[in-house]
Amino acid sequence: MASPPSTNPAHAHFESFLQAQLCQDVLNSFQGLCGALGLEPGGGLPQYHKIKAQLNYWSAKSLWAKLDKRAGQTVYQQGRACTSTKCLVVGAGPCGLRAAVELALLGARVVLVEKRTKFSRHNVLHLWPFTIHDLRALGAKKFYGRFCTGTLDHISIRQLQLLLLKVALLLGVEIHWGVTFTGVQPPPRKGSGWRAQLQPNPPTQLVNYEFDVLISAAGGKFVPEGFKVREMRGKLAIGITVNFVNRRTVEETQVPEISGVARIYNQSFFQSLLRATGIDLENIVYYKDDTHYFVMTAKKQCLLRLGVLRQDWPETDRLLGSANVVPEALQRFARAAADFATHGKLGKLEFARDAHGQPDVSAFDFTSMMRAESSARVQEKHGARLLLGLVGDCLVEPFWPLGTGVARGFLAAFDAAWMVKRWAEGTGPLEVLAERESLYQLLSQTSPENMHRNVAQYGLDPATRYPNLNLRAVIPNQVRDLYDMLAKEPVRKKSDKTDTGRPATGSAGTQEELLRWCQEQTAGYPGVHVTDLSSSWADGLALCALVHGLRPSLLEPSELQGMGALEATAWALKVAEHELGITPVVSAQAVVAGSDPLGLIAYLSHFHSAFKSTPHGPGPAAQASPGTSSAVLFLGKLQRTLQRTRAKENGEDAGGKKPRLEVEAETPNTEEPPVPEPGAPLTPPSQHQEAGAGDLCALCGEHLYILERLCVDGHFFHRSCFRCHTCEATLWPSGYGLHPGDGRFYCLQHLPQPAHKEDGSDGGPQSLELPTPDEVNMPPGPSTHRASQEASPVPSPSQPTRRLIRLPSPERQRLSSLNLTPDEEMEPPPKPPRSCSALARQALEGSFVGWGMPVQTPQVLVAMEEEESPSSSEEEDDEGEEDVPLDSNMEQALLTFAKTSGTMNKYPTWRRTLLRRAKEEEMKRFCKAQAIQRRLNEIDAALRELEAEGVKLEQALRSQSSSPDQQKELWVEQLLQLVQKKNGLVAEEAELMITVQELNLEEKQWQLDQELRSYMNREETLKTAADQQAEDQVLRKLVEVVNQRDALIRFQEERRLSELALGTGAQG
């Protein structure tokens, strides 16, 4: 029975307060509520208790219960933890409001200033599980009934701000609108306090407000004076956000959201988008909230081609400035991308309006992200101390594709409030700062996977949130420069510049050390006498001896008989690249001619840094390569396999494997260059000698310095030249192809396909033979050899063709749900069986694991439906909204369900949970891909910086022939340090690209799974011969993808075991 309408004006004001959707309406209704109760707003936590006591209204009881439960936590000490603390919070964004709420719960007096007068940001934020639980505990469902009711967990910035604003007002936070904070005003004399400098016309009580804590949440463009900010740059990245009106029609509600699609692992989607619309994107996300929200990363060349940008400018501010962006073209661009991504099912897309009444679409730059070097400071003058803390974007600007902004922002707000509590307890300033910086070190590493799993226990105490917490990671003595006393001598700060006077620890060492190591490795080989780092290597024998000493199984000494110097050198360079992971930076001609001694030294230093800890001598120990990146080897073999596969698809003669000494390279010129005299001094070559075979870029023909050299298929390029011919994107390892028709390089998305290839191919490896772990020459470790023998081989083109096994639909259904992704908390997955029938039986045992879910019995499903049935008495019970704990012990029911199409429709709650989990897995894959993409861009930027430094050093070495020998030696050592840094970045890049391969295969398996389900849902009697053939083809592709994923998993596992064995050996 519905309750009769209340005649109490306070009740009406409270209902208006709950339902208000505009900032001014919230303030007016709360002002009316306080007036009806005879209270003044902004009275701190006591105000909340007065409102609760006087407003005896049934609709408010559930909200009071939630707020009382939060305020009753021990850490708040019944609101008396910070009663003598006065705080000023700058900025009413989500993080500023969340910090204000925590400070109010501690009992502090909190004043918040905000320069805006309304909330108008429609952009949508992804929520982590703990943020969902945290907001529910503050009454989110009471204020916003649609909170987290879709398949993805998100909320618009505007709704989040309204929600937190209402909580802050109830808890007594004093809020001033239209006031801009410009800085702090130190106390003029002893006995006075710190005040704020405000504009334009702040009220008198705010001007005279003295505070001892300042929390800045004013965004990335405003950081208080005294804080240093570090810029993290990547490659140019242009984001586009757009909001369309959500009319909430039946058709709109049925359009699925897109948790994230990234080109790095789903190239077919973006190929189709490019063909249909001419739009070239890196990624796209679609959230359905108050608006239809889309965010995407666009390529600059595409924006220029479609007229979105008028002109290309090197300065990002000028490139994306309002004068250079065509609004109408940008709107057409965003509408076309959104329409394609949703298959046109949203109907006519109407732009939502921003704060200025204009269409809510914008282009922004996230090439660089700012990060404060410290999260807090203390200033003191005339005995008055001020604690300053940062939260939100002014602490760390988030990388939007990861969806970490609001989650880490809330964590920083909790950490800042904990710092204020420690400050109020009387803890020393240095201790408070050290503890806060210790927490700040954890912030960028946090993710839902590495925090405490029980989100219900999260609170203000950091120990409830961070599993591996060390509050003494930073000691007080390390934060003295964060404590500013205007009457004391300024603390001398360390220079940001690195000391270039001496080489860093772990560098390749001096030339003498390198020469001595090379002599040790080549000792005892007939005809090899290494006396220097130039002429001793001209005959090729020393380089062959070095390779043989590190990997004796690669050649027999007798095979070197009759080989010329150029042929032997070319063979050694090729084998070192293919089998040891040592990428050439010098050509065989330059080594024989002695025309590039610096390049040879840099090349040999790579051997030294990779193998210096390897015992010299024959046997298994000498075959280990602890310093060489196995990922580089793996990707090199993968790229060559791709080339062979494409050559066969193009109808070319792959030619099989050539003999080892043929090196799969061009036949070298029989007329060898002159060999320098033995023992010749190391002198920089003259200008006319510099144009050697490896000194010129194969694409632009310009000079190549050592740090600039990128070797691909025996040719050297500038890294900046080695780009896709179509989109000019940087080509990553194993992510490109050489088109035999025009001889140009392309990314896989734009690689021209043969005419006979099927439509819909994404240009990636469809029938690819991945290198096995044994082929990558992994270092021996415990059980590695046995594991590789037990593992099933990956199908190879050289093996006999296997007979196609036709499976009935039930077995195909079970096969489609196969998932080989290892879970961190589970045992390693068993090795896949060899036959399709055994593969299907294995998939049957974990039928719905492919959806990211364990299986359930019918009793569990029925119980879930009963528990999830709507009940008016449980309208405010948020516990029922949490995911039901899943039991994976019983499976017979779903094994039966898997045989029947449409059975899951009988269990809508279970189906909804399946869809939610599937979306979560999709979002994890997207976030992982975007983190990789960002790191690849950062590596690219770092390599460019290293190249610039290397060019300067090399120019100095080549031009300053009259410089002292000591100076030259110092320059060479610095150059070798840069080479080593470059090798480390290249190895990291290869590691990331292997993860990209994993994501690519996961996405392919998911797509094939969906395609196979569509065929299996048809009746067998209604299938045509073409349907049967297509179904068989999808099944065959699925088995191939499973085999490829198995190869990657075995590779990663054996590498882990090898690294573990090497680490154990080092400790021993």
Side-chain angles (χ1 to χ4, degrees):
M1 181 177 178
S3 301
S6 174
T7 59
N8 190 329
H11 295 176
H13 285 301
F14 182 77
E15 286 296 333
S16 299
F17 176 71
L18 290 181
Q19 303 302 325
Q21 290 297 299
L22 296 176
C23 183
Q24 194 59 46
D25 293 345
V26 172
L27 299 175
N28 291 339
S29 58
F30 185 73
Q31 187 75 33
L33 174 63
C34 290
L37 298 177
L39 301 173
E40 284 292 330
L45 199 57
Q47 172 200 276
Y48 163 70
H49 294 296
K50 293 177 183 178
I51 294 176
K52 184 179 68 170
Q54 297 185 38
L55 188 65
N56 186 18
Y57 183 37
W58 66 269
S59 181
K61 290 183 179 179
S62 60
L63 179 60
W64 303 149
K66 289 182 176 298
L67 295 179
D68 285 345
K69 183 178 179 180
R70 179 76 184 195
Q73 293 182 7
T74 307
V75 69
Y76 300 115
Q77 300 175 15
Q78 298 298 320
R80 294 190 294 270
C82 300
T83 51
S84 59
T85 304
K86 296 180 180 180
C87 304
L88 177 68
V89 179
V90 181
C95 299
L97 287 167
R98 191 64 190 87
V101 166
E102 287 302 308
L103 294 173
L105 289 171
L106 288 168
R109 182 186 175 188
V110 185
V111 175
L112 186 147
V113 295
E114 168 59 48
K115 65 180 180 181
R116 297 182 179 88
T117 57
K118 59 183 177 180
F119 298 149
S120 59
R121 290 186 289 174
H122 296 293
N123 292 357
V124 180
L125 303 172
H126 170 60
L127 299 178
W128 288 7
F130 95 85
T131 54
I132 298 171
H133 189 278
D134 177 69
L135 292 171
R136 281 177 176 160
L138 294 176
K141 291 288 287 184
K142 190 71 176 178
F143 297 118
Y144 182 51
R146 295 192 183 96
F147 180 71
C148 288
T149 55
T151 56
L152 294 173
D153 296 323
H154 50 68
I155 188 172
S156 70
I157 298 177
R158 190 181 72 86
Q159 284 292 349
L160 182 56
Q161 286 177 287
L162 286 172
L163 188 160
L164 292 172
L165 172 63
K166 294 174 183 180
V167 176
L169 289 171
L170 287 174
L171 296 178
V173 176
E174 180 182 333
I175 301 179
H176 296 269
W177 303 93
V179 177
T180 302
F181 175 85
T182 59
V184 294
Q185 181 179 334
R189 59 187 176 277
K190 194 174 182 68
S192 59
W194 293 80
R195 298 182 182 181
Q197 297 175 356
L198 306 168
Q199 291 179 352
N201 298 308
T204 305
Q205 72 271 20
L206 186 58
V207 173
N208 297 327
Y209 178 61
E210 295 182 350
F211 50 89
D212 46 19
V213 173
L214 172 67
I215 301 297
S216 176
K221 294 183 178 179
F222 179 80
V223 178
E225 185 179 355
F227 286 90
K228 291 184 177 181
V229 177
R230 180 161 46 94
E231 182 182 22
M232 297 174 287
R233 290 199 62 84
K235 206 170 54 171
L236 177 65
I238 301 174
I240 295 176
T241 60
V242 57
N243 286 276
F244 298 104
V245 174
N246 186 355
R247 301 180 183 84
R248 304 190 188 280
T249 62
V250 175
E251 292 77 11
E252 287 175 303
T253 59
Q254 293 176 349
V255 178
E257 298 178 285
I258 303 174
S259 57
V261 183
R263 187 173 72 97
I264 200 171
Y265 63 82
N266 187 352
Q267 296 172 5
S268 59
F269 173 86
F270 295 96
Q271 275 185 321
S272 302
L273 173 64
L274 181 62
R275 286 194 298 264
T277 65
I279 293 175
D280 206 356
L281 299 179
E282 291 283 355
N283 52 50
I284 188 169
V285 173
Y286 163 49
Y287 288 156
K288 191 186 310 176
D289 210 271
D290 285 349
T291 61
H292 296 293
Y293 170 70
F294 292 84
V295 58
M296 60 201 82
T297 302
K299 294 188 177 181
K300 182 182 70 172
Q301 295 301 325
C302 172
L303 296 176
L304 289 167
R305 175 169 44 83
L306 296 179
V308 177
L309 300 178
R310 289 188 170 91
Q311 194 171 348
D312 190 4
W313 297 102
E315 304 86 3
T316 308
D317 293 342
R318 196 173 182 182
L319 179 69
L320 298 179
S322 58
N324 199 47
V325 177
V326 181
E328 296 79 11
L330 179 60
Q331 293 167 26
R332 289 194 299 269
F333 184 98
R335 182 184 279 115
D339 198 54
F340 180 89
T342 56
H343 306 287
K345 294 181 179 179
L346 289 178
K348 185 178 180 181
L349 294 171
E350 178 185 348
F351 288 98
R353 299 290 163 170
D354 61 15
H356 305 288
Q358 299 298 318
D360 194 356
V361 56
S362 62
F364 64 97
D365 166 47
F366 61 100
T367 302
S368 62
M369 296 183 297
M370 312 305 291
R371 176 186 176 90
E373 292 188 357
S374 61
S375 58
R377 299 185 68 87
V378 173
Q379 295 183 5
E380 181 177 346
K381 186 175 183 181
H382 296 310
R385 291 174 177 170
L386 175 65
L387 176 64
L388 300 95
L390 304 180
V391 298
D393 289 1
C394 65
L395 179 63
V396 179
E397 282 188 330
F399 182 48
W400 72 261
L402 299 185
T404 58
V406 69
R408 290 177 179 169
F410 276 22
L411 291 174
F414 295 156
D415 295 338
W418 175 262
M419 173 185 68
V420 175
K421 179 179 182 294
R422 298 281 290 154
W423 177 266
E425 291 172 349
T427 307
L430 292 179
E431 286 75 13
V432 170
L433 291 172
E435 192 173 282
R436 178 68 187 95
E437 294 307 308
S438 298
L439 292 172
Y440 184 38
Q441 290 184 350
L442 297 175
L443 186 63
S444 61
Q445 306 169 19
T446 55
S447 68
E449 290 74 27
N450 62 18
M451 298 182 65
H452 279 308
R453 298 301 177 120
N454 184 10
V455 296
Q457 74 174 8
Y458 282 25
L460 197 61
D461 189 343
T464 62
R465 294 176 272 124
Y466 304 114
N468 303 314
L469 180 63
N470 179 14
L471 292 177
R472 297 187 178 276
V474 178
I475 60 176
N477 195 42
Q478 294 175 289
V479 295
R480 289 188 176 276
D481 60 332
L482 302 180
Y483 185 13
D484 296 331
M485 293 183 63
L486 301 185
K488 70 173 185 177
E489 291 294 326
V491 179
R492 183 176 180 181
K493 297 179 176 61
K494 295 181 179 180
S495 172
D496 294 335
K497 297 181 179 179
T498 56
D499 181 14
T500 58
R502 296 302 304 164
T505 304
S507 67
T510 63
Q511 296 183 59
E512 290 77 10
E513 181 183 352
L514 176 60
L515 176 60
R516 185 166 54 252
W517 180 82
C518 291
Q519 290 171 338
E520 293 174 356
Q521 297 296 320
T522 58
Y525 285 89
V528 176
H529 303 285
V530 175
T531 59
D532 54 33
L533 297 175
S534 56
S535 60
S536 298
W537 306 83
D539 58 2
L541 295 179
L543 202 54
C544 291
L546 180 62
V547 173
H548 181 269
L550 296 172
R551 195 63 55 83
S553 60
L554 295 180
L555 89 159
E556 294 295 330
S558 59
E559 294 179 340
L560 295 176
Q561 296 178 0
M563 291 179 61
L566 190 58
E567 186 181 4
T569 304
W571 176 87
L573 292 174
K574 183 70 70 174
V575 172
E577 179 183 10
H578 288 189
E579 305 297 339
L580 299 179
I582 306 296
T583 306
V585 294
V586 63
S587 65
Q589 290 87 347
V591 173
V592 175
S595 60
D596 191 7
L598 284 178
L600 179 60
I601 293 174
Y603 181 62
L604 294 175
S605 71
H606 195 176
F607 281 92
H608 178 241
S609 60
F611 296 96
K612 60 185 176 183
S613 59
T614 303
H616 176 56
Q623 299 179 21
S625 50
T628 306
S629 171
S630 54
V632 174
L633 289 171
F634 184 89
L635 287 181
K637 292 180 180 294
L638 178 59
Q639 182 63 35
R640 291 187 290 276
T641 304
L642 279 168
Q643 292 173 346
R644 289 196 299 268
T645 303
R646 294 193 188 100
K648 291 180 179 180
E649 290 175 351
N650 293 337
E652 297 174 3
D653 182 16
K657 292 187 177 180
K658 296 184 179 182
R660 180 184 297 154
L661 293 180
E662 291 185 21
V663 204
E664 301 176 18
E666 314 91 317
T667 304
N669 191 349
T670 55
E671 187 174 332
E672 299 182 6
V675 179
E677 292 296 327
L682 175 58
T683 58
S686 61
Q687 295 296 327
H688 69 275
Q689 291 178 312
E690 291 184 3
D695 288 346
L696 299 180
C697 175
L699 286 175
C700 69
E702 297 294 328
H703 182 72
L704 273 172
Y705 292 91
I706 293 172
L707 265 293
E708 294 179 317
R709 296 174 189 173
L710 174 66
C711 184
V712 179
D713 296 336
H715 301 285
F716 291 95
F717 305 90
H718 288 104
R719 192 178 179 90
S720 57
C721 292
F722 191 62
R723 296 178 179 274
C724 173
H725 179 65
T726 300
C727 66
E728 298 186 0
T730 301
L731 298 178
W732 310 109
S734 79
Y736 66 89
L738 176 65
H739 189 254
D742 57 13
R744 301 182 186 276
F745 291 97
Y746 296 86
C747 65
L748 295 184
Q749 180 179 355
H750 298 113
L751 180 65
Q753 300 298 324
H756 64 272
K757 193 158 184 175
E758 301 173 15
D759 293 336
S761 173
D762 60 0
Q766 293 291 340
S767 303
L768 169 65
E769 176 196 0
L770 288 178
T772 62
D774 292 338
E775 291 177 340
V776 188
N777 297 305
M778 294 300 301
S783 74
T784 302
H785 182 66
R786 177 173 52 84
S788 62
Q789 288 179 337
E790 294 176 357
S792 59
V794 179
S796 170
S798 62
Q799 296 176 354
T801 304
R802 297 181 178 178
R803 181 173 59 86
L804 176 64
I805 300 177
R806 298 185 61 85
L807 297 178
S809 289
E811 292 192 1
R812 291 173 182 163
Q813 174 77 41
R814 299 158 194 165
L815 175 62
S816 69
S817 299
L818 180 63
N819 187 356
L820 291 179
T821 304
D823 190 276
E824 296 179 358
E825 299 181 356
M826 299 175 61
E827 293 296 324
K831 302 300 180 185
R834 298 186 181 186
S835 67
C836 290
S837 57
L839 205 57
R841 285 196 298 272
Q842 187 182 39
L844 180 63
E845 297 174 359
S847 178
F848 274 87
V849 177
W851 291 66
M853 296 286 290
V855 293
Q856 296 289 336
T857 64
Q859 292 83 1
V860 174
L861 298 178
V862 173
M864 288 175 62
E865 295 299 325
E866 293 175 352
E867 291 177 7
E868 293 288 326
S869 60
S871 173
S872 58
S873 61
E874 297 178 352
E875 182 179 358
E876 293 298 324
D877 185 8
D878 294 336
E879 299 302 322
E881 299 175 13
E882 302 288 347
D883 292 335
V884 178
L886 302 173
D887 182 9
S888 59
N889 294 328
M890 300 170 287
E891 55 187 272
Q892 191 59 42
L894 282 185
L895 297 182
T896 304
F897 295 158
K899 302 177 183 178
T900 308
S901 171
T903 306
M904 295 308 297
N905 293 328
K906 299 178 182 179
Y907 300 94
T909 301
W910 175 250
R911 179 178 178 82
R912 187 166 61 249
T913 307
L914 283 173
L915 292 175
R916 173 177 285 268
R917 290 296 181 88
K919 287 290 185 181
E920 289 175 355
E921 293 300 317
E922 183 179 307
M923 177 169 288
K924 288 179 183 178
R925 186 161 62 249
F926 175 74
C927 291
K928 191 174 184 179
Q930 294 312 298
I932 291 172
Q933 183 73 59
R934 177 67 191 184
R935 182 55 189 154
L936 287 173
N937 291 340
E938 290 175 351
I939 289 175
D940 190 58
L943 286 172
R944 287 200 302 267
E945 294 177 1
L946 286 178
E947 288 174 2
E949 294 181 41
V951 167
K952 292 180 181 179
L953 278 173
E954 190 172 348
Q955 287 176 341
L957 277 166
R958 293 182 182 276
S959 61
Q960 302 296 328
S961 57
S962 60
S963 299
D965 292 341
Q966 186 177 2
Q967 180 63 53
K968 291 181 181 179
E969 183 179 351
L970 179 59
W971 283 340
V972 171
E973 291 177 12
Q974 292 174 358
L975 184 66
L976 296 184
Q977 292 173 36
L978 296 180
V979 170
Q980 188 173 353
K981 289 179 181 179
K982 177 185 176 181
N983 293 337
L985 290 173
V986 170
E988 184 185 357
E989 183 181 60
E991 297 279 356
L992 294 174
M993 291 310 301
I994 285 185
T995 309
V996 168
Q997 293 293 331
E998 294 178 13
L999 295 174
N1000 191 14
L1001 292 175
E1002 286 179 25
E1003 181 69 16
K1004 284 184 180 180
Q1005 181 174 338
W1006 183 84
Q1007 292 176 353
L1008 291 170
D1009 173 272
Q1010 300 303 309
E1011 191 174 353
L1012 189 58
R1013 287 176 187 274
S1014 67
Y1015 285 113
M1016 291 184 301
N1017 287 338
R1018 306 175 191 176
E1019 294 292 338
E1020 288 287 339
T1021 56
L1022 300 179
K1023 292 181 181 179
T1024 65
D1027 291 337
Q1028 292 282 1
Q1029 184 178 3
E1031 188 176 357
D1032 292 340
Q1033 186 176 11
V1034 172
L1035 179 63
R1036 189 162 52 248
K1037 288 181 179 179
L1038 183 60
V1039 174
E1040 290 172 356
V1041 170
V1042 168
N1043 283 330
Q1044 292 169 30
R1045 290 189 67 185
D1046 174 59
L1048 276 178
I1049 291 172
R1050 286 191 289 121
F1051 168 77
Q1052 298 282 40
E1053 178 63 16
E1054 295 193 10
R1055 182 174 59 174
R1056 185 185 67 82
L1057 292 174
S1058 301
E1059 292 172 353
L1060 183 63
L1062 290 170
T1064 305
Q1067 291 178 359

